[in-house]
Amino acid sequence: MVTTDARDRLIASAQRLFASQGVGPTSPRQVLEVSGVGQGSLYHHFPTKHDLALAAVGASVAEALAVARAELDDDSPALDRVVAYLERPRDALGGCTIGRLTSDQAVMDDDDLRDVVTAYFVRLVGSVAAALRETGLPDDAARDLAHTAVAVVQGGYVLARATGDPGAMRAAVRGFVTLLGRTTKEDA
Amino acid sequence: MVTTDARDRLIASAQRLFASQGVGPTSPRQVLEVSGVGQGSLYHHFPTKHDLALAAVGASVAEALAVARAELDDDSPALDRVVAYLERPRDALGGCTIGRLTSDQAVMDDDDLRDVVTAYFVRLVGSVAAALRETGLPDDAARDLAHTAVAVVQGGYVLARATGDPGAMRAAVRGFVTLLGRTTKEDA
Protein backbone atom coordinates (compact mmCIF):
# COMPACT_ATOMS: atom_id res chain seq x y z
CA MET A 1 0.00 0.00 0.00
CA VAL A 2 2.81 2.38 0.91
CA THR A 3 4.47 1.49 -2.40
CA THR A 4 1.35 2.33 -4.42
CA ASP A 5 1.03 5.63 -2.61
CA ALA A 6 4.65 6.52 -3.44
CA ARG A 7 4.02 5.70 -7.10
CA ASP A 8 0.94 7.93 -7.20
CA ARG A 9 2.79 10.78 -5.52
CA LEU A 10 5.66 10.51 -7.99
CA ILE A 11 3.22 10.62 -10.91
CA ALA A 12 1.27 13.57 -9.46
CA SER A 13 4.50 15.50 -8.81
CA ALA A 14 5.76 14.83 -12.35
CA GLN A 15 2.39 16.00 -13.77
CA ARG A 16 2.63 19.29 -11.84
CA LEU A 17 6.23 19.93 -12.87
CA PHE A 18 5.54 19.03 -16.51
CA ALA A 19 2.58 21.43 -16.56
CA SER A 20 4.55 24.32 -15.10
CA GLN A 21 7.93 23.97 -16.82
CA GLY A 22 7.63 21.31 -19.55
CA VAL A 23 8.91 17.75 -19.78
CA GLY A 24 12.38 18.58 -21.15
CA PRO A 25 13.66 20.69 -18.25
CA THR A 26 12.15 18.44 -15.52
CA SER A 27 14.66 16.08 -13.90
CA PRO A 28 13.76 12.94 -11.93
CA ARG A 29 15.64 14.54 -9.02
CA GLN A 30 13.20 17.49 -9.02
CA VAL A 31 10.25 15.10 -9.08
CA LEU A 32 11.79 13.23 -6.17
CA GLU A 33 12.17 16.45 -4.13
CA VAL A 34 8.63 17.68 -4.84
CA SER A 35 7.07 14.28 -4.13
CA GLY A 36 8.85 13.75 -0.82
CA VAL A 37 9.21 9.98 -1.48
CA GLY A 38 12.47 8.09 -1.02
CA GLN A 39 15.01 7.75 -3.81
CA GLY A 40 14.69 3.95 -3.71
CA SER A 41 10.97 4.23 -4.52
CA LEU A 42 11.65 6.41 -7.55
CA TYR A 43 14.07 3.95 -9.12
CA HIS A 44 11.93 0.99 -8.13
CA HIS A 45 8.84 2.36 -9.88
CA PHE A 46 10.50 4.35 -12.66
CA PRO A 47 13.99 3.16 -13.57
CA THR A 48 14.32 5.91 -16.22
CA LYS A 49 12.97 9.41 -16.84
CA HIS A 50 11.23 7.98 -19.89
CA ASP A 51 9.25 5.54 -17.67
CA LEU A 52 8.23 8.36 -15.36
CA ALA A 53 7.29 10.71 -18.21
CA LEU A 54 5.21 8.02 -19.89
CA ALA A 55 3.29 7.31 -16.67
CA ALA A 56 2.72 11.01 -15.92
CA VAL A 57 1.66 12.01 -19.45
CA GLY A 58 -0.52 8.88 -19.60
CA ALA A 59 -2.21 9.88 -16.33
CA SER A 60 -2.85 13.43 -17.59
CA VAL A 61 -4.37 12.07 -20.80
CA ALA A 62 -6.59 9.60 -18.90
CA GLU A 63 -7.85 12.38 -16.59
CA ALA A 64 -8.53 14.83 -19.44
CA LEU A 65 -10.36 12.19 -21.50
CA ALA A 66 -12.49 11.16 -18.51
CA VAL A 67 -13.63 14.77 -18.01
CA ALA A 68 -14.44 15.25 -21.72
CA ARG A 69 -16.28 11.92 -21.98
CA ALA A 70 -18.40 12.67 -18.91
CA GLU A 71 -19.62 15.73 -20.83
CA LEU A 72 -19.90 14.13 -24.27
CA ASP A 73 -21.40 10.72 -23.44
CA ASP A 74 -24.24 11.56 -21.05
CA ASP A 75 -28.02 11.47 -21.66
CA SER A 76 -28.78 15.09 -22.57
CA PRO A 77 -29.43 16.19 -26.19
CA ALA A 78 -26.32 15.72 -28.36
CA LEU A 79 -25.77 19.38 -29.23
CA ASP A 80 -26.05 20.38 -25.55
CA ARG A 81 -23.27 17.92 -24.76
CA VAL A 82 -20.95 19.38 -27.39
CA VAL A 83 -21.72 22.89 -26.09
CA ALA A 84 -21.02 21.68 -22.52
CA TYR A 85 -17.62 20.42 -23.67
CA LEU A 86 -16.89 23.73 -25.43
CA GLU A 87 -18.07 25.98 -22.61
CA ARG A 88 -16.46 24.12 -19.71
CA PRO A 89 -14.58 26.66 -17.56
CA ARG A 90 -10.87 26.28 -18.32
CA ASP A 91 -7.62 27.72 -16.98
CA ALA A 92 -7.17 29.68 -20.21
CA LEU A 93 -3.91 31.38 -19.20
CA GLY A 94 -2.40 28.13 -17.91
CA GLY A 95 -2.88 26.43 -21.28
CA CYS A 96 -4.06 22.90 -22.03
CA THR A 97 -2.03 20.31 -20.10
CA ILE A 98 -2.04 18.03 -23.15
CA GLY A 99 -2.05 20.57 -25.98
CA ARG A 100 1.06 22.30 -24.66
CA LEU A 101 2.98 19.01 -24.99
CA THR A 102 2.86 19.46 -28.78
CA SER A 103 5.28 22.40 -28.34
CA ASP A 104 7.52 20.40 -25.97
CA GLN A 105 10.41 19.13 -28.06
CA ALA A 106 11.27 16.45 -25.48
CA VAL A 107 7.78 14.98 -26.02
CA MET A 108 7.62 15.32 -29.80
CA ASP A 109 11.06 13.67 -30.16
CA ASP A 110 9.97 10.61 -28.11
CA ASP A 111 7.82 8.18 -30.13
CA ASP A 112 6.12 6.68 -27.06
CA LEU A 113 5.20 10.04 -25.53
CA ARG A 114 4.03 11.41 -28.86
CA ASP A 115 1.81 8.35 -29.34
CA VAL A 116 0.09 9.07 -26.02
CA VAL A 117 -0.59 12.68 -27.07
CA THR A 118 -1.82 11.52 -30.50
CA ALA A 119 -4.18 9.00 -28.91
CA TYR A 120 -5.67 11.72 -26.70
CA PHE A 121 -6.63 13.95 -29.62
CA VAL A 122 -7.82 11.08 -31.83
CA ARG A 123 -10.14 9.86 -29.05
CA LEU A 124 -11.33 13.33 -28.11
CA VAL A 125 -12.17 14.21 -31.74
CA GLY A 126 -13.87 10.80 -32.04
CA SER A 127 -16.10 11.48 -29.02
CA VAL A 128 -17.09 14.94 -30.28
CA ALA A 129 -17.79 13.50 -33.76
CA ALA A 130 -20.01 10.78 -32.28
CA ALA A 131 -22.11 13.41 -30.48
CA LEU A 132 -22.34 15.55 -33.64
CA ARG A 133 -23.54 12.55 -35.68
CA GLU A 134 -26.40 12.20 -33.20
CA THR A 135 -27.54 15.73 -34.17
CA GLY A 136 -28.13 14.35 -37.67
CA LEU A 137 -24.93 15.51 -39.38
CA PRO A 138 -23.49 13.10 -41.97
CA ASP A 139 -20.26 11.27 -41.02
CA ASP A 140 -17.81 13.46 -42.96
CA ALA A 141 -19.38 16.71 -41.80
CA ALA A 142 -19.43 15.47 -38.19
CA ARG A 143 -15.75 14.55 -38.34
CA ASP A 144 -14.75 17.90 -39.84
CA LEU A 145 -16.79 19.83 -37.31
CA ALA A 146 -15.38 17.76 -34.43
CA HIS A 147 -11.89 18.81 -35.55
CA THR A 148 -13.13 22.42 -35.62
CA ALA A 149 -14.57 22.16 -32.08
CA VAL A 150 -11.35 20.76 -30.60
CA ALA A 151 -9.30 23.32 -32.58
CA VAL A 152 -11.42 26.19 -31.21
CA VAL A 153 -10.61 25.09 -27.65
CA GLN A 154 -6.91 24.55 -28.36
CA GLY A 155 -6.63 27.80 -30.34
CA GLY A 156 -8.60 29.56 -27.60
CA TYR A 157 -5.82 28.64 -25.17
CA VAL A 158 -3.20 30.02 -27.59
CA LEU A 159 -5.13 33.30 -28.01
CA ALA A 160 -5.69 33.69 -24.26
CA ARG A 161 -2.02 33.07 -23.47
CA ALA A 162 -0.85 35.31 -26.31
CA THR A 163 -3.00 38.25 -25.21
CA GLY A 164 -2.93 37.58 -21.45
CA ASP A 165 -6.74 37.68 -21.60
CA PRO A 166 -8.95 34.69 -20.71
CA GLY A 167 -11.78 36.56 -22.44
CA ALA A 168 -10.11 35.83 -25.81
CA MET A 169 -10.79 32.10 -25.32
CA ARG A 170 -14.37 32.76 -24.25
CA ALA A 171 -14.93 34.94 -27.34
CA ALA A 172 -13.62 32.17 -29.63
CA VAL A 173 -15.91 29.60 -28.02
CA ARG A 174 -18.91 31.96 -28.02
CA GLY A 175 -18.45 32.72 -31.74
CA PHE A 176 -18.36 29.01 -32.53
CA VAL A 177 -21.28 28.01 -30.29
CA THR A 178 -23.42 30.73 -31.88
CA LEU A 179 -22.68 29.41 -35.38
CA LEU A 180 -23.08 25.81 -34.31
CA GLY A 181 -26.44 26.29 -32.62
CA ARG A 182 -27.80 28.15 -35.60
CA THR A 183 -26.64 25.63 -38.19
CA THR A 184 -27.65 22.56 -36.28
CA LYS A 185 -31.12 23.94 -35.74
CA GLU A 186 -31.31 24.61 -39.47
CA ASP A 187 -30.46 20.93 -40.08
CA ALA A 188 -32.88 19.56 -37.52
CA MET B 1 25.36 48.82 -46.73
CA VAL B 2 27.45 45.88 -45.57
CA THR B 3 26.37 46.70 -42.04
CA THR B 4 22.67 46.60 -42.97
CA ASP B 5 23.15 43.29 -44.72
CA ALA B 6 24.84 41.82 -41.63
CA ARG B 7 21.93 43.02 -39.47
CA ASP B 8 19.39 41.39 -41.81
CA ARG B 9 21.33 38.14 -41.87
CA LEU B 10 21.54 38.07 -38.07
CA ILE B 11 17.77 38.62 -37.83
CA ALA B 12 16.99 35.97 -40.45
CA SER B 13 19.27 33.44 -38.73
CA ALA B 14 17.69 34.15 -35.33
CA GLN B 15 14.20 33.72 -36.86
CA ARG B 16 15.16 30.31 -38.27
CA LEU B 17 16.72 29.09 -35.03
CA PHE B 18 13.80 30.37 -32.94
CA ALA B 19 11.35 28.56 -35.23
CA SER B 20 13.22 25.25 -35.05
CA GLN B 21 14.30 25.14 -31.40
CA GLY B 22 12.61 28.00 -29.54
CA VAL B 23 13.94 31.29 -28.16
CA GLY B 24 15.12 29.96 -24.78
CA PRO B 25 17.70 27.42 -26.03
CA THR B 26 19.04 29.70 -28.82
CA SER B 27 22.32 31.44 -27.95
CA PRO B 28 23.69 34.56 -29.71
CA ARG B 29 26.77 32.42 -30.49
CA GLN B 30 24.60 29.96 -32.48
CA VAL B 31 23.00 32.84 -34.38
CA LEU B 32 26.48 34.16 -35.12
CA GLU B 33 27.60 30.79 -36.51
CA VAL B 34 24.51 30.26 -38.67
CA SER B 35 24.58 33.84 -40.03
CA GLY B 36 28.26 33.80 -40.96
CA VAL B 37 28.69 37.47 -39.96
CA GLY B 38 31.53 38.72 -37.78
CA GLN B 39 31.29 38.79 -34.00
CA GLY B 40 31.84 42.57 -33.99
CA SER B 41 28.70 43.02 -36.13
CA LEU B 42 26.58 40.99 -33.72
CA TYR B 43 27.52 43.08 -30.70
CA HIS B 44 27.32 46.30 -32.70
CA HIS B 45 23.74 45.65 -33.82
CA PHE B 46 22.50 43.61 -30.89
CA PRO B 47 24.41 44.22 -27.65
CA THR B 48 22.23 41.66 -25.79
CA LYS B 49 20.27 38.52 -26.62
CA HIS B 50 17.16 40.48 -25.65
CA ASP B 51 17.85 43.04 -28.41
CA LEU B 52 18.34 40.29 -30.97
CA ALA B 53 15.23 38.36 -29.87
CA LEU B 54 13.10 41.50 -29.99
CA ALA B 55 14.27 42.29 -33.54
CA ALA B 56 13.76 38.70 -34.76
CA VAL B 57 10.33 38.18 -33.17
CA GLY B 58 9.32 41.66 -34.38
CA ALA B 59 10.37 40.73 -37.93
CA SER B 60 8.40 37.44 -37.80
CA VAL B 61 5.31 39.28 -36.59
CA ALA B 62 5.62 41.96 -39.30
CA GLU B 63 5.98 39.29 -42.02
CA ALA B 64 3.03 37.22 -40.74
CA LEU B 65 0.78 40.28 -40.44
CA ALA B 66 1.69 41.46 -43.94
CA VAL B 67 0.64 38.07 -45.39
CA ALA B 68 -2.65 38.03 -43.46
CA ARG B 69 -3.48 41.63 -44.35
CA ALA B 70 -2.82 41.05 -48.05
CA GLU B 71 -5.57 38.40 -47.84
CA LEU B 72 -7.94 40.30 -45.55
CA ASP B 73 -7.74 43.84 -46.94
CA ASP B 74 -8.08 43.36 -50.71
CA ASP B 75 -11.02 44.16 -53.00
CA SER B 76 -12.82 40.79 -53.20
CA PRO B 77 -16.06 40.10 -51.27
CA ALA B 78 -15.46 40.18 -47.50
CA LEU B 79 -16.38 36.55 -46.79
CA ASP B 80 -14.09 35.34 -49.61
CA ARG B 81 -11.22 37.21 -47.95
CA VAL B 82 -11.83 35.55 -44.58
CA VAL B 83 -12.02 32.15 -46.30
CA ALA B 84 -8.77 32.93 -48.15
CA TYR B 85 -7.08 33.65 -44.81
CA LEU B 86 -8.46 30.41 -43.32
CA GLU B 87 -7.61 28.20 -46.29
CA ARG B 88 -4.11 29.52 -46.99
CA PRO B 89 -1.74 26.52 -47.29
CA ARG B 90 0.24 26.30 -44.06
CA ASP B 91 3.14 24.22 -42.76
CA ALA B 92 0.76 22.46 -40.35
CA LEU B 93 3.38 20.14 -38.84
CA GLY B 94 5.90 22.96 -38.39
CA GLY B 95 3.44 24.96 -36.28
CA CYS B 96 2.74 28.70 -36.34
CA THR B 97 5.95 30.73 -36.01
CA ILE B 98 4.15 33.20 -33.75
CA GLY B 99 1.64 30.93 -31.99
CA ARG B 100 4.38 28.58 -30.80
CA LEU B 101 6.00 31.48 -28.94
CA THR B 102 3.11 31.35 -26.45
CA SER B 103 4.53 28.00 -25.25
CA ASP B 104 8.08 29.40 -25.09
CA GLN B 105 8.74 30.30 -21.46
CA ALA B 106 11.66 32.57 -22.43
CA VAL B 107 9.19 34.66 -24.46
CA MET B 108 6.30 34.66 -21.99
CA ASP B 109 8.64 35.69 -19.14
CA ASP B 110 9.93 38.72 -21.12
CA ASP B 111 7.46 41.64 -21.07
CA ASP B 112 8.79 43.19 -24.30
CA LEU B 113 8.69 39.93 -26.28
CA ARG B 114 5.26 39.04 -24.93
CA ASP B 115 3.97 42.49 -25.95
CA VAL B 116 5.08 41.83 -29.55
CA VAL B 117 3.24 38.48 -29.58
CA THR B 118 0.14 40.09 -28.03
CA ALA B 119 0.16 42.89 -30.62
CA TYR B 120 0.25 40.31 -33.44
CA PHE B 121 -2.88 38.51 -32.30
CA VAL B 122 -4.76 41.70 -31.40
CA ARG B 123 -4.09 43.11 -34.89
CA LEU B 124 -4.84 39.84 -36.66
CA VAL B 125 -8.17 39.41 -34.85
CA GLY B 126 -8.91 43.08 -35.61
CA SER B 127 -8.34 42.58 -39.35
CA VAL B 128 -10.53 39.45 -39.45
CA ALA B 129 -13.25 41.24 -37.45
CA ALA B 130 -13.19 44.20 -39.87
CA ALA B 131 -13.77 41.86 -42.82
CA LEU B 132 -16.58 40.04 -40.97
CA ARG B 133 -18.33 43.35 -40.19
CA GLU B 134 -18.38 44.02 -43.93
CA THR B 135 -20.45 40.83 -44.37
CA GLY B 136 -23.13 42.55 -42.29
CA LEU B 137 -22.43 40.97 -38.89
CA PRO B 138 -22.91 43.28 -35.89
CA ASP B 139 -19.74 44.43 -34.08
CA ASP B 140 -19.90 42.01 -31.14
CA ALA B 141 -20.67 38.99 -33.31
CA ALA B 142 -17.88 39.93 -35.75
CA ARG B 143 -15.36 40.21 -32.91
CA ASP B 144 -16.38 36.85 -31.41
CA LEU B 145 -16.26 35.13 -34.78
CA ALA B 146 -12.87 36.69 -35.58
CA HIS B 147 -11.54 35.13 -32.38
CA THR B 148 -13.05 31.81 -33.50
CA ALA B 149 -11.43 32.05 -36.95
CA VAL B 150 -7.95 32.73 -35.54
CA ALA B 151 -8.45 30.01 -32.90
CA VAL B 152 -9.39 27.46 -35.59
CA VAL B 153 -6.09 28.13 -37.37
CA GLN B 154 -4.03 28.06 -34.17
CA GLY B 155 -5.85 24.98 -32.86
CA GLY B 156 -5.49 23.38 -36.29
CA TYR B 157 -1.72 23.61 -35.89
CA VAL B 158 -1.95 21.97 -32.45
CA LEU B 159 -4.14 19.13 -33.81
CA ALA B 160 -1.86 18.55 -36.81
CA ARG B 161 1.27 18.46 -34.67
CA ALA B 162 -0.40 16.26 -32.04
CA THR B 163 -1.56 13.69 -34.57
CA GLY B 164 1.31 14.05 -37.06
CA ASP B 165 -1.37 14.62 -39.71
CA PRO B 166 -1.67 17.90 -41.69
CA GLY B 167 -5.16 16.68 -42.67
CA ALA B 168 -6.33 17.36 -39.11
CA MET B 169 -5.77 21.10 -39.63
CA ARG B 170 -7.52 21.03 -43.01
CA ALA B 171 -10.51 19.22 -41.46
CA ALA B 172 -10.79 21.87 -38.71
CA VAL B 173 -10.71 24.69 -41.28
CA ARG B 174 -13.15 22.89 -43.61
CA GLY B 175 -15.65 22.35 -40.79
CA PHE B 176 -15.49 26.03 -39.89
CA VAL B 177 -15.66 27.36 -43.46
CA THR B 178 -18.72 25.20 -44.13
CA LEU B 179 -20.51 26.62 -41.07
CA LEU B 180 -19.37 30.16 -41.82
CA GLY B 181 -20.50 30.16 -45.44
CA ARG B 182 -23.91 28.81 -44.52
CA THR B 183 -24.52 31.28 -41.70
CA THR B 184 -23.26 34.33 -43.47
CA LYS B 185 -25.45 33.58 -46.48
CA GLU B 186 -28.37 33.25 -44.10
CA ASP B 187 -27.60 36.76 -42.76
CA ALA B 188 -27.07 38.35 -46.17
Side-chain angles (χ1 to χ4, degrees):
Chain A
M1 297 300 279
V2 173
T3 320
T4 305
D5 181 55
R7 189 177 189 280
D8 290 347
R9 274 157 62 196
L10 287 163
I11 290 177
S13 302
Q15 286 178 285
R16 270 201 305 279
L17 286 166
F18 289 173
S20 67
Q21 64 187 27
V23 175
T26 300
S27 67
R29 177 177 298 274
Q30 272 185 302
V31 175
L32 197 63
E33 281 165 16
V34 169
S35 69
V37 308
Q39 186 161 342
S41 272
L42 172 63
Y43 296 109
H44 169 71
H45 291 295
F46 305 109
T48 67
K49 175 175 170 179
H50 177 260
D51 297 320
L52 177 58
L54 204 54
V57 171
S60 295
V61 162
E63 289 162 15
L65 266 185
V67 170
R69 284 181 167 165
E71 292 159 346
L72 290 163
D73 298 348
D74 82 0
D75 291 334
S76 53
L79 186 63
D80 292 355
R81 284 181 263 147
V82 176
V83 171
Y85 157 73
L86 287 161
E87 293 185 341
R88 179 203 320 156
R90 288 175 168 91
D91 176 14
L93 299 183
C96 173
T97 315
I98 318 297
R100 288 185 64 187
L101 298 174
T102 63
S103 293
D104 192 321
Q105 210 52 47
V107 173
M108 300 312 279
D109 288 344
D110 181 315
D111 287 349
D112 296 327
L113 288 178
R114 209 181 46 221
D115 282 353
V116 175
V117 174
T118 300
Y120 169 72
F121 283 105
V122 168
R123 286 176 189 157
L124 177 58
V125 167
S127 291
V128 177
L132 286 170
R133 275 194 299 273
E134 288 183 51
T135 70
L137 280 181
D139 266 22
D140 283 358
R143 276 202 65 75
D144 283 354
L145 208 48
H147 279 85
T148 311
V150 175
V152 166
V153 171
Q154 291 297 320
Y157 279 117
V158 173
L159 274 183
R161 285 174 59 82
T163 60
D165 175 14
M169 182 185 219
R170 287 196 298 272
V173 168
R174 197 165 52 229
F176 183 58
V177 167
T178 303
L179 272 192
L180 193 61
R182 216 186 289 183
T183 301
T184 314
K185 264 180 250 152
E186 193 184 335
D187 288 339
Chain B
M1 296 304 278
V2 173
T3 321
T4 305
D5 180 56
R7 187 175 191 280
D8 290 347
R9 275 157 62 197
L10 287 164
I11 290 177
S13 302
Q15 285 178 286
R16 272 201 304 278
L17 286 166
F18 289 174
S20 67
Q21 64 188 25
V23 175
T26 300
S27 67
R29 177 175 300 274
Q30 272 185 303
V31 175
L32 197 64
E33 281 164 17
V34 169
S35 69
V37 308
Q39 187 163 341
S41 271
L42 172 63
Y43 297 110
H44 169 71
H45 291 295
F46 306 109
T48 68
K49 176 175 170 179
H50 178 260
D51 297 319
L52 177 58
L54 204 55
V57 172
S60 295
V61 162
E63 288 161 17
L65 266 185
V67 171
R69 284 180 168 164
E71 292 159 345
L72 290 163
D73 298 348
D74 82 359
D75 291 335
S76 53
L79 186 63
D80 292 355
R81 284 181 262 147
V82 175
V83 171
Y85 157 73
L86 288 161
E87 292 185 341
R88 179 203 319 157
R90 288 175 168 89
D91 176 13
L93 299 182
C96 173
T97 315
I98 319 294
R100 288 185 63 188
L101 298 174
T102 64
S103 294
D104 191 322
Q105 210 52 47
V107 173
M108 300 313 277
D109 288 344
D110 181 315
D111 287 348
D112 296 328
L113 288 177
R114 209 182 46 221
D115 282 353
V116 174
V117 174
T118 300
Y120 169 73
F121 282 105
V122 167
R123 286 174 189 157
L124 178 59
V125 168
S127 290
V128 177
L132 286 170
R133 274 194 300 272
E134 288 183 50
T135 70
L137 280 182
D139 267 21
D140 284 359
R143 277 202 65 75
D144 283 354
L145 208 50
H147 280 85
T148 311
V150 175
V152 166
V153 171
Q154 291 296 319
Y157 279 118
V158 174
L159 274 182
R161 285 174 59 82
T163 60
D165 175 14
M169 182 185 219
R170 288 196 297 272
V173 168
R174 198 164 51 229
F176 183 59
V177 167
T178 303
L179 271 193
L180 192 62
R182 215 185 290 185
T183 302
T184 314
K185 265 180 249 153
E186 193 184 336
D187 288 339

